[in-house]
Amino acid sequence: VAFKNFFNYFFLMGFKVYILIITSIIVAEKYTLNVKGLVCSFCAKAIEKKLKKFDGIESINIDLDNRLVILESSKQLDVEKIKEAIKAAGYTVANIKEE
């Protein structure tokens, strides 16, 4: 009610009130990769550098303790190309879980 009265006041005074709706990126896909050899921050940076080249990846989270790379994407990714990119960085993907 308070907001309605606030907007009505500005309309009566001759002002235009614009309401902006900000939408966030909808994450459509999540991938959890178990990566052999992922043991240090250098490893993480090398993998991250390769994965940043992929269109659609919204976030890359690396869990060194569990040797996991967690990707969130706005679209479905080509899993084989992801594996190839990580292999090019010198690491091996043991498995990929798609959610």
Side-chain angles (χ1 to χ4, degrees):
V1 177
F3 282 114
K4 184 177 178 182
N5 290 337
F6 175 77
F7 290 123
N8 284 338
Y9 172 77
F10 278 101
F11 285 125
L12 291 173
M13 298 298 292
F15 296 103
K16 292 183 180 180
V17 177
Y18 296 97
I19 300 172
L20 299 177
I21 299 173
I22 301 172
T23 58
S24 62
I25 297 170
I26 297 173
V27 176
E29 303 290 330
K30 183 177 179 182
Y31 302 85
T32 303
L33 298 78
N34 186 312
V35 180
K36 292 182 180 180
L38 177 59
V39 295
C40 67
S41 61
F42 175 79
C43 304
K45 287 292 182 192
I47 291 171
E48 187 176 13
K49 184 177 178 182
K50 291 289 185 181
L51 294 176
K52 281 186 174 182
K53 296 177 182 177
F54 283 85
D55 183 44
I57 293 179
E58 303 300 333
S59 72
I60 303 168
N61 295 304
I62 299 179
D63 178 352
L64 290 174
D65 293 334
N66 295 306
R67 295 184 173 96
L68 297 175
V69 175
I70 302 157
L71 304 175
E72 292 181 339
S73 175
S74 58
K75 63 182 184 177
Q76 189 163 3
L77 299 173
D78 185 338
V79 175
E80 291 305 314
K81 287 186 179 180
I82 296 287
K83 285 182 179 180
E84 289 171 12
I86 292 174
K87 186 175 182 178
Y91 306 93
T92 305
V93 176
N95 63 9
I96 298 178
K97 178 181 167 187
E98 293 183 47
E99 298 175 36

